[in-house]
Amino acid sequence: MSFDKLQDRILTLKNPTVAGLDARLDYVPEHIRAEKIAQYGQTRKAAAEAIYTFNCGLMDALCDIVPAVKPQSAYYENLGWEGMLERTIRYAKEKGFYVIADIKRGDIGSTATAYAEGWLGKTVVGDVTLPGFDADCVTVNGYMGSDAVKPFLTVAEEEDKSLFVLVRTSNPSAVDLQDQEING
């Protein structure tokens, strides 16, 4: 499985750190934002390009130090299709990073299969097989049961990829559900 790739990279760099790529426009330095807004106007395209430029700079600075990056998909999705992170993942892989797509998907059936194929696997269009986002690993939410996880496991095994399954969270209100005692 691809966790061996992550482990090898951790051992090579002697560092278990994962750099989160939580792409909020207000995290990007003003000079990069201004440049992209001048180029594309006050648009989602400008925001996405500013974030991409900033992320590339971060990855350039970290690629010899940090073994993995973890882009949080929600921050890209909120920018529409211009903000999708396919280019960020591709750049990260070119720089040698192990890519953990923080997608926390947890649907079932054909929808879970489509997510798994899109993030870890491939899609067939006519006679052509095309890669999806091509992350090395994804985060999934197992609260809907094994039906929500199995499609990811199947695709991960086929593609030599891996996944982290959310089983317990650290957010304060998680205890509302996670710490409930039922019948003792």
Side-chain angles (χ1 to χ4, degrees):
M1 294 294 281
S2 76
F3 278 129
D4 293 337
K5 296 175 195 172
L6 176 59
Q7 184 176 4
D8 290 346
R9 185 118 168 101
I10 289 169
L11 293 172
T12 298
L13 296 177
K14 298 178 176 59
N15 183 355
T17 305
V18 174
L21 298 178
D22 295 350
R24 297 294 289 182
L25 186 59
D26 51 338
Y27 298 166
V28 176
E30 176 58 33
H31 72 279
I32 296 173
R33 285 184 287 174
E35 174 189 328
K36 298 305 176 185
I37 289 172
Q39 188 174 5
Y40 299 105
Q42 294 182 21
T43 62
R44 289 189 295 198
K45 172 89 171 159
E49 291 301 321
I51 288 166
Y52 178 72
T53 298
F54 181 60
N55 281 346
C56 288
L58 287 173
M59 290 185 283
D60 289 345
L62 296 173
C63 65
D64 295 330
I65 303 166
V66 174
V69 293
K70 184 177 67 67
Q72 170 41 264
S73 68
Y75 293 117
Y76 297 86
E77 292 169 12
N78 78 355
L79 293 173
W81 68 269
E82 296 96 339
M84 293 309 285
L85 64 146
E86 183 178 2
R87 286 190 309 155
T88 298
I89 290 173
R90 187 172 41 241
Y91 191 81
K93 289 180 143 220
E94 288 170 8
K95 296 305 255 179
F97 287 104
Y98 184 88
V99 178
I100 303 166
D102 193 0
I103 63 173
K104 293 186 190 79
R105 298 301 192 253
D107 214 325
I108 59 173
S110 60
T111 306
T113 299
Y115 280 133
E117 291 169 349
W119 286 97
L120 298 173
K122 297 177 177 69
T123 298
V124 176
V125 179
D127 296 333
V128 179
T129 301
L130 304 167
F133 285 103
D134 199 28
D136 296 305
C137 179
V138 294
T139 59
V140 296
N141 184 338
Y143 277 98
M144 289 182 73
S146 61
D147 293 341
V149 176
K150 283 181 182 177
F152 286 94
L153 290 172
T154 299
V155 173
E157 186 173 18
E158 291 169 357
E159 300 292 332
D160 193 27
K161 306 285 179 103
S162 41
L163 52 130
F164 284 105
V165 179
L166 173 68
V167 293
R168 181 147 182 93
T169 65
S170 59
N171 55 304
S173 66
V175 299
D176 297 347
L177 176 64
Q178 294 175 11
D179 289 1
Q180 291 299 310
E181 283 193 36
I182 308 296
N183 295 328

